[in-house]
Amino acid sequence: MSVSELEADLSADERAGLELIRETGGIHQSDFWKELDVSSRKGSRIAEALEEAELIQRERTVYDGHNTYFLEPTARDLDFSLLMAGDMLSPFIGEEEIDSQSDAFSQWLMNLAYEEY
């Protein structure tokens, strides 16, 4: 089942929770339910439903001295195609300084241009 098919089956609260997790890139469950303005019990149920649908990952953690979960989007939910040119990953991934005159960038741009035509 595709991600869009899984999302079609979500309740409004579950969709809002998934959107929050995607926007933040990850959030502690103890903050998650507060941001959604729901009870901790309902927040836990939303997180569990999203995890069962494999739309997020829940990992046990300690946050502010309390046991909780860290919620983050699953890797399959992320679209890396915009970083690709043919089979080359953008040379700027992980780089702090960007050199637009570099050979790696030129090759990546050429692959991107040839991919279009």
Side-chain angles (χ1 to χ4, degrees):
M1 189 177 278
S2 74
V3 172
S4 59
E5 291 171 332
L6 291 170
E7 288 181 30
D9 294 335
L10 298 178
S11 70
D13 287 334
E14 291 167 345
R15 274 194 293 278
L18 181 59
E19 184 63 28
L20 175 61
I21 293 167
R22 285 178 175 161
E23 285 176 0
T24 60
I27 188 170
H28 289 96
Q29 188 167 308
S30 54
D31 293 333
F32 174 73
W33 60 270
K34 293 172 190 171
E35 289 288 324
L36 289 178
D37 196 26
V38 297
S39 69
S40 62
R41 173 181 252 174
K42 187 168 185 173
S44 293
R45 289 183 179 158
I46 292 169
E48 288 169 0
L50 294 173
E51 181 184 34
E52 285 177 21
E54 298 180 356
L55 294 169
I56 68 165
Q57 295 176 343
R58 288 173 78 214
E59 185 176 324
R60 285 182 185 261
T61 189
V62 176
Y63 177 63
D64 284 341
H66 300 284
N67 292 328
T68 187
Y69 290 91
F70 188 72
L71 313 174
E72 59 187 340
T74 57
R76 75 177 187 157
D77 191 33
L78 304 175
D79 182 11
F80 295 103
S81 65
L82 298 175
L83 303 174
M84 301 297 292
D87 62 351
M88 287 184 68
L89 182 64
S90 169
F92 297 134
I93 302 302
E95 295 293 324
E96 289 190 22
E97 235 178 87
I98 298 174
D99 179 9
S100 61
Q101 304 298 316
S102 72
D103 289 339
F105 181 63
S106 297
Q107 185 62 44
W108 185 78
L109 277 179
M110 293 300 289
N111 281 351
L112 190 61
Y114 287 128
E115 192 175 87
E116 294 292 318
Y117 296 103

